[in-house]
Amino acid sequence: MRALQMVDTKNQYLKIKKEVDEAVINVMESSQFIGGKIVNDFAMNLATYNGSKHVIPCANGTDALQIAMMALGLKAGDEVITPSFTYIATVEVAALLGIKPIFVEVDKRTFCIDPAAIEKAITPKTKAIIPVHLYGHAAEMEAIMDIANRHHLFVIEDNAQAIGNEYVFSDGRKKKTGSIGHIGCTSFYPSKNLGAFGDGGAIFTDDDALAEQLKMIASHGQSRRYYHDVVGCNSRLDAVQAAILDIKLKHLDEYNKARRKAADYYDHAFNEYTEIVTPFRAKNNNHVFHQYTLILQNADRDALNTFLSENGIPSMIYYPVPAHRQKMFDAFGGSAYELPLTDWLTERVISLPIHTELEEEQQAFICKKVVEFINKK
Ligand SMILES: *Cc1c(COP(=O)(O)O)cnc(C)c1O
């Protein structure tokens, strides 16, 4: 059996090696390392794939979120409503801009922001809602857009973990996550569902004026070369990454399907164990399983983590400390929050290996060990 990994980018690469190697050499030979046709082509293909009018490539997912907040004119003293149960990047950039993150609870089943909690957290200072499609499951976007429209708020989707997920509205309309809010942000960090061979990110919008603003901010606030209209930053996706991503984009649906199949296998294996809550899948979106995350109840999560590790099985706690309990947010009153469900989840979640190259033999072994732990408890 192949050694187990949380994510197997090596074997995924080997399957498309020839095409990728050629594309990289092509960039070398063109010597167009920054910007140019390859980056533009990828942006257009991604826009088509995601059903978004504009895609602005940038250096990483964290930058994408920062540029989005800047383009919407959010400034120091404004508030954004966001889950605490997320990766720090979602909220860190708000703080960096002096914007106050207002942390709210998630839905216990989906791990995504709870729409009812959003409504209660709105104040006259609220400017935006930042839902996170955590682990690949979509947040309840229809309810979120409805709240945003009623209160005249912006919605920035953190789609770093859910690229390729399709969300179905109650009237039957279908939209990819990241194309539903005013702006969508994603990351091409190597382990993401659409992963580069380095860093990368992208910003999605249907709004022409916003697209101009996003482009300008990502490029030193330039409206044209050497004319800097607004304070911006330097955030670019390089051509080598764009070339690789353009190839991988063609495989994205098949990659997500492989992840879903691996999730099905786990679901089935853990079905009868009351100690294990397998990931919920709402009918209105197709989970892309960036992570396969269990809730362990009436069993010691940390002991399982150690037991798996002793058996050569990697597992991860995403995330061991919720955002509001990070020292970083002390100055924003983080410790004053009471988010019991977020704390409860933080103590009980555990993510098992999931990726496109997972073999049945590997999954059988992982499941056997998880069940062995549950049975001997
Ligand atoms: C990965 C990730 C980001 C940040 O992306 P980077 O490319 O690493 O900067 C933001 N939010 C979430 C939820 C992520 O998983």
Side-chain angles (χ1 to χ4, degrees), residues 2-262:
R2 256 186 210 161
L4 290 159
Q5 294 173 273
M6 280 307 281
V7 43
D8 183 351
T9 48
K10 175 77 186 279
N11 282 299
Q12 190 188 56
Y13 160 60
L14 292 178
K15 285 186 179 159
I16 52 169
K17 182 176 185 318
K18 193 165 166 283
E19 223 185 327
V20 167
D21 292 0
E22 273 169 20
V24 171
I25 288 169
N26 180 33
V27 176
M28 309 287 181
E29 284 175 352
S30 78
S31 289
Q32 176 99 55
F33 298 117
I34 299 287
K37 186 173 185 309
I38 291 170
V39 179
N40 292 339
D41 284 355
F42 167 63
M44 277 173 54
N45 292 336
L46 183 59
T48 305
Y49 174 86
N50 219 59
S52 300
K53 197 165 170 199
H54 304 277
V55 165
I56 295 91
C58 64
N60 55 66
T62 310
D63 276 8
L65 288 154
Q66 182 181 335
I67 295 163
M69 290 180 209
M70 289 168 80
L72 291 171
L74 304 196
K75 52 186 191 315
D78 290 343
E79 293 178 358
V80 294
I81 299 173
T82 183
S84 175
F85 194 67
T86 183
Y87 180 53
I88 198 67
T90 314
V91 284
E92 180 188 21
V93 289
L96 192 67
L97 298 169
I99 299 161
K100 189 175 181 190
I102 302 295
F103 299 114
V104 300
E105 286 284 26
V106 288
D107 181 310
K108 189 176 169 182
R109 296 182 309 171
T110 64
F111 303 112
C112 296
I113 196 165
D114 176 1
I118 296 174
E119 193 109 44
K120 283 188 211 128
I122 294 172
T123 76
K125 289 182 180 168
T126 310
K127 290 286 155 55
I129 305 166
I130 310 178
V132 183
H133 305 305
L134 203 71
Y135 306 147
H137 191 288
E140 203 31 88
M141 288 310 293
E142 185 158 354
I144 293 167
M145 294 312 291
D146 178 56
I147 294 168
N149 290 336
R150 278 191 282 114
H151 295 272
H152 308 287
L153 304 175
F154 294 117
V155 174
I156 303 171
E157 293 176 77
D158 183 341
N159 197 34
Q161 300 191 0
I163 194 155
N165 188 337
E166 192 168 61
Y167 182 89
V168 188
F169 288 81
S170 50
D171 64 4
R173 268 182 314 132
K174 291 178 180 173
K175 277 189 155 212
K176 288 260 163 59
T177 52
S179 74
I180 303 168
H182 300 87
I183 299 182
C185 296
T186 203
S187 162
F188 305 125
Y189 185 79
S191 64
K192 299 286 158 83
N193 291 36
L194 180 59
F197 288 11
D199 273 312
I203 313 165
F204 303 83
T205 189
D206 285 340
D207 185 309
D208 297 342
L210 255 183
E212 279 313 305
Q213 202 66 22
L214 290 163
K215 244 180 258 174
M216 198 153 77
I217 290 167
S219 176
H220 297 294
Q222 288 189 124
S223 53
R224 61 195 162 102
R225 204 161 203 190
Y226 306 128
Y227 289 79
H228 306 273
D229 298 3
V230 295
V231 175
C233 56
N234 171 23
S235 190
R236 301 186 280 237
L237 178 72
D238 67 70
V240 168
Q241 300 309 332
I244 295 166
L245 288 164
D246 207 28
I247 293 165
K248 292 186 75 176
L249 178 61
K250 289 184 237 150
H251 297 278
L252 180 58
D253 285 344
E254 153 210 327
Y255 287 162
N256 284 339
K257 209 171 143 194
R259 286 172 177 273
R260 241 174 257 129
K261 189 171 163 232

